[in-house]
Amino acid sequence: MKEKEIRKIDLQFRAETTEDEKMEIKGYAVVFNSPETYGYTELIEEHALDEADMSDVVLRYNHNDSFMVLARTRNNSLKLEKDEKGLFMDATLQDDITEHKNIFNAVKSGLIDKQSFAFTVEEDEYDYETDTRTITKIGKLFDVSVVDQPFYNATDVSVASKNDDFLERRKELRKQHEEKKALEEAKQRLIKKLG
């Protein structure tokens, strides 16, 4: 089974009350082709979500399963729309739920101004020379979250947790690349020496 990974975004999103007094929060939960570095560089390719399972995505606070769900695609209180920039989320919170009002007010006042998303990686590419991982296919999007403390404040997208799987694979890929490179260099030296 694919390991769930989490990325956090340091992009502004906003809270606003609509004409019919509904509480809405909106902004980009995923930004495409925005390289960020965390020991290695990573970016999410613009077609990575094309085949992703987004049939039942929830909006959470800090990815906390024990906190009240804020919105959900299944009941249309959470709308997710892909465009050339990324994945835009538009959530309608309920004014009769205390936790919803608290989150809405925290976003509106700027106390909470970051987003994050949890997903599985189906396919990725790794460039050994630039130490860059490109996520080309996301299998499932579990949630988008409003977060109060991103992993890195200064970045747009950063690795937060559950990335040990790729870090281990990266070590092996780097080792294989270095061995192949050393073998090729030795071969070139031998050819040069033999003349």
Side-chain angles (χ1 to χ4, degrees):
M1 184 174 163
K2 303 282 182 190
E3 188 74 26
K4 180 162 67 170
E5 298 186 27
I6 296 171
R7 299 292 181 278
K8 297 191 178 182
I9 310 267
D10 184 13
L11 290 178
Q12 294 294 325
F13 62 104
R14 62 191 181 280
E16 54 191 40
T17 308
T18 62
E19 288 178 10
D20 53 355
E21 299 299 312
K22 289 186 177 173
M23 299 184 305
E24 287 189 353
I25 56 176
K26 23 176 112 173
Y28 281 90
V30 179
V31 177
F32 300 138
N33 296 315
S34 178
E36 293 301 330
T37 302
Y38 173 73
Y40 63 92
T41 299
E42 180 180 272
L43 60 90
I44 296 176
E45 194 261 343
E46 64 268 16
H47 297 290
L49 284 167
D50 286 358
E51 297 175 36
D53 176 3
M54 297 192 294
S55 58
D56 188 23
V57 180
V58 295
L59 175 64
R60 295 193 180 280
Y61 170 63
N62 280 338
H63 299 286
N64 188 341
D65 293 340
S66 60
F67 191 86
M68 168 72 64
V69 169
L70 298 170
R72 184 173 222 138
T73 55
R74 204 169 62 202
N75 76 347
N76 291 320
S77 58
L78 175 63
K79 293 179 177 67
L80 299 172
E81 186 176 325
K82 289 179 286 183
D83 62 23
E84 67 283 344
K85 182 176 179 178
L87 183 68
F88 188 79
M89 77 94 182
D90 184 346
T92 303
L93 307 186
Q94 293 183 227
D95 61 6
D96 58 343
I97 299 176
T98 303
E99 291 90 340
H100 285 212
K101 281 202 272 191
N102 290 344
I103 293 294
F104 178 80
N105 289 330
V107 172
K108 193 170 185 178
S109 69
L111 287 172
I112 298 174
D113 61 356
K114 312 289 186 270
Q115 289 194 71
S116 179
F117 59 104
F119 62 101
T120 58
V121 175
E122 284 296 313
E123 295 174 10
D124 61 356
E125 297 170 356
Y126 181 65
D127 183 314
Y128 313 95
E129 299 303 324
T130 62
D131 199 13
T132 301
R133 180 190 192 194
T134 301
I135 296 174
T136 57
K137 186 175 182 182
I138 290 175
K140 179 166 180 55
L141 187 63
F142 293 96
D143 70 59
V144 292
S145 287
V146 295
V147 294
D148 49 29
Q149 192 63 47
F151 197 74
Y152 282 126
N153 251 332
T155 60
D156 289 340
V157 180
S158 58
V159 178
S161 62
K162 297 292 186 185
N163 204 29
D164 297 339
D165 205 30
F166 176 72
L167 291 175
E168 283 304 310
R169 189 163 63 91
R170 175 179 171 254
K171 283 182 196 172
E172 186 57 34
L173 289 170
R174 300 276 314 155
K175 182 180 171 192
Q176 289 171 9
H177 176 69
E178 294 303 321
E179 288 171 355
K180 185 177 175 183
K181 191 174 172 182
L183 190 61
E184 186 61 36
E185 287 171 357
K187 183 179 168 184
Q188 291 300 323
R189 283 194 302 273
L190 184 60
I191 289 170
K192 198 175 191 179
K193 190 175 183 180
L194 295 174

